[in-house]
Amino acid sequence: MSHRQVPRTGRAFAALTAVAACSAGLLAASGPASAAPDPASATAGATAGDDATRTAARQRASVPYPNLAPTPPMGWNNWSYYMCDINEKVVLDNARALVRTGLANKGYDTVTVDDCWMAKQRGPQGELVPDKDKFPHGMAHIGRELHRMGLKFGIYEDVGTLTCGKYPGSYGHFKEDARQFARWGVDYLKADGCNVPRPAGRTKEQIYREVYEQQSQALEATGRPITFSVSAPAYFQYDGDSVWHQVIDWSARVGNLWRGGRDIALEQQSPATKWSSIVYNFRYNAGLAQLQRPGRWNDPDFLLAGDTGLNRHEMQSQMSLWAMMAAPLISSTDLGKLSPEAREVLGNEEIIAVDQDPLGKQGKVIEQNDGFTVMSKPLRHGQRAVALFNSGDTPRTVSTTAAAAGLPEASSYRLRDLVTGRVGQSDGAIVAQDVPAHGTVLYRVTAR
């Protein structure tokens, strides 16, 4: 069925019948129309006036979350392609496709079920209840099946009173929900930030920090290693860089990766919208390199390779640019219908190696104008990855130099094209002739 996207900061939402009422979720600081939990029954950090308790919670949060993602996470998430049209079969079929195509062996090992997986009401003991029509065998069954395939189990929740799709959020239930996820065998939690109440006298940034700290502490208290994906910065993208960057800074302490801004486009949207979304997310995330560090990852959202309307050059550009940014490589498409081209793009081991390089450095833009961008990323053994991105609508030559890319002075340089496999030599010029419209040439460069 067709779904309309509603623009918003934290998540791009469609007007599915189940989620149509959620278009106001951009500024999740106000409570939802339905009743919120009594703040006194929520975890203490979310209440107003208890300064001593908040101070103690902040001291506990000063210890960073365990480093559970030494390299950028890789895997699959249903949201961009399926949205709320999700069920047990869709999840497990895509998991089997990861294994069958060989993508799992290349690192795509985490399968995450996004919003709309649960019933609209909690159970009699306050527990989260899976939607019985969508997941008749329950979420522990999903975890067991994924683990049996050698994959990891990811799940979605929200730190507010309700998820973006108006399902029960974890606000007031952080400890109980975390323990439930651990019992189900969850390995990865994506925590959104819709419908976060703002108690009197608290700023939006303060309350978001407190609830994400509570979620972080609850996960760690389970004793199960659960990679934590934080969505908080996405809700501050337009609040000014100083606030946005401050939110990213504490997100890097409470979790392992964080969504920085606007959602990537949806499958149902036009090819032009998809491409514009890829470029937009690349540009905002490329500017955050100074806020990333090894093991703590900026996340510009999903890979769209395999979606309708994107050509080979566009899919390749997103994959290459995400690898240059050390971004999580999380596919969101129907993996059972991957074209040979999409499979090649997602499975390119040399580009995956750039993304997963042990140095864990995000590449930086070294030259840019309206029609092209040049990025350089340090790799182990003194090598550099250099991306020459033509964002324009006609072919063009894009170039830089070894010195500009940060390579040491040498008599010559070896350039390996990571898409074609061709190897060339240079005295210092790094050039890509006739880069196609929306195309990217990605070199691994070695001083000789």
Side-chain angles (χ1 to χ4, degrees):
M1 78 180 72
S2 176
H3 313 301
R4 176 179 60 86
Q5 185 186 38
V6 179
R8 34 179 307 154
T9 304
R11 290 175 54 83
F13 255 97
L16 285 162
T17 302
V19 297
C22 196
S23 61
L26 169 61
L27 296 180
S30 60
S34 60
D38 179 355
S41 68
T43 47
T47 66
D50 192 347
D51 293 337
T53 303
R54 278 199 296 271
T55 298
R58 184 60 51 80
Q59 289 172 344
R60 290 194 300 272
S62 66
V63 178
Y65 194 70
N67 185 16
L68 302 177
T71 57
M74 297 174 63
W76 176 88
N77 178 298
N78 65 273
W79 183 257
S80 181
Y81 192 90
Y82 294 95
M83 301 181 68
C84 283
D85 292 339
I86 189 69
N87 56 48
E88 182 178 292
K89 184 177 187 303
V90 167
V91 173
L92 295 181
D93 281 354
N94 276 279
R96 295 181 187 104
L98 277 180
V99 175
R100 184 176 64 253
T101 59
L103 291 174
N105 284 337
K106 295 181 179 182
Y108 294 88
D109 63 359
T110 302
V111 172
T112 301
V113 184
D114 212 283
D115 204 355
C116 311
W117 60 265
M118 65 186 88
K120 286 287 188 176
Q121 302 294 329
R122 288 178 175 268
Q125 305 302 316
E127 73 276 16
L128 294 171
V129 178
D131 184 313
K132 293 182 179 179
D133 292 330
K134 295 178 179 179
F135 296 93
H137 297 97
M139 305 313 285
H141 170 76
I142 297 293
R144 287 192 296 270
E145 288 298 298
L146 293 176
H147 293 156
R148 186 180 59 80
M149 295 182 220
L151 301 172
K152 298 176 184 178
F153 177 24
I155 205 164
Y156 167 100
E157 241 296 3
D158 195 289
V159 296
T161 56
L162 297 172
T163 73
C164 299
K166 302 299 184 184
Y167 295 83
S170 281
Y171 185 85
H173 299 272
F174 292 113
K175 293 180 180 178
E176 300 93 328
D177 291 354
R179 287 195 292 263
Q180 190 168 11
F181 295 149
R183 288 194 300 271
W184 287 345
V186 167
D187 305 296
Y188 179 107
L189 174 67
K190 174 184 174 182
D192 217 332
C194 279
N195 303 305
V196 175
R198 187 188 300 176
R202 312 295 292 157
T203 68
K204 175 184 170 185
E205 192 270 335
Q206 285 172 331
I207 189 60
Y208 268 77
R209 179 169 184 169
E210 288 170 1
V211 293
Y212 273 101
E213 285 174 347
Q214 292 158 30
Q215 179 69 86
S216 176
Q217 292 160 17
L219 291 174
E220 190 168 1
T222 67
R224 181 176 179 81
I226 299 176
T227 300
F228 188 22
S229 172
V230 175
S231 292
Y235 291 86
F236 293 83
Q237 185 179 11
Y238 306 113
D239 288 19
D241 281 356
S242 62
V243 176
W244 188 30
H245 293 178
Q246 179 174 309
V247 174
I248 291 173
D249 181 67
W250 58 251
S251 294
R253 297 188 67 80
V254 303
N256 305 114
L257 64 154
W258 50 89
R259 282 291 316 285
R262 184 185 297 174
D263 278 17
I264 206 76
L266 305 172
E267 159 59 17
Q268 73 224 26
Q269 294 182 299
S270 70
T273 298
K274 292 175 184 176
W275 174 244
S276 177
S277 176
I278 289 170
V279 173
Y280 178 87
N281 283 25
F282 160 65
R283 286 179 175 162
Y284 86 64
N285 197 73
L288 301 176
Q290 75 278 13
L291 301 174
Q292 177 267 348
R293 62 181 184 271
R296 307 287 162 158
W297 312 106
N298 289 315
D299 180 6
D301 212 8
F302 307 127
L303 297 172
L304 300 185
D307 278 18
T308 55
L310 293 175
N311 64 40
R312 170 65 182 261
H313 300 307
E314 292 166 340
M315 292 188 292
Q316 188 64 67
S317 282
Q318 189 188 16
M319 180 72 178
S320 298
L321 296 171
W322 264 231
M324 288 293 294
M325 295 188 294
L329 300 180
I330 302 174
S331 170
S332 187
T333 192
D334 183 345
L335 296 173
K337 296 180 179 179
L338 283 181
S339 68
E341 287 184 337
R343 189 180 302 179
E344 288 176 8
V345 168
L346 289 172
N348 186 314
E349 293 182 4
E350 294 196 71
I351 293 180
I352 291 172
V354 169
D355 180 78
Q356 300 284 299
D357 185 82
L359 285 185
K361 299 288 188 179
Q362 178 167 331
K364 295 183 178 180
V365 174
I366 59 173
E367 189 174 355
Q368 181 171 293
N369 72 11
D370 290 340
F372 73 91
T373 301
V374 180
M375 294 188 77
S376 177
K377 173 182 166 71
L379 306 174
R380 64 176 172 176
H381 306 313
Q383 298 177 328
R384 289 266 172 168
V386 178
L388 306 168
F389 171 41
N390 176 15
S391 57
D393 296 328
T394 57
R396 68 181 300 158
T397 296
V398 184
S399 64
T400 189
T401 65
L407 284 147
E409 185 175 352
S411 58
S412 66
Y413 300 87
R414 180 181 186 269
L415 280 64
R416 179 174 176 82
D417 186 318
L418 300 188
V419 175
T420 67
R422 289 194 291 266
V423 176
Q425 301 292 326
S426 169
D427 61 1
I430 301 175
V431 182
Q433 300 281 352
D434 297 322
V435 181
H438 303 177
T440 299
V441 172
L442 181 56
Y443 290 124
R444 181 182 282 264
V445 186
T446 307
R448 305 298 294 265

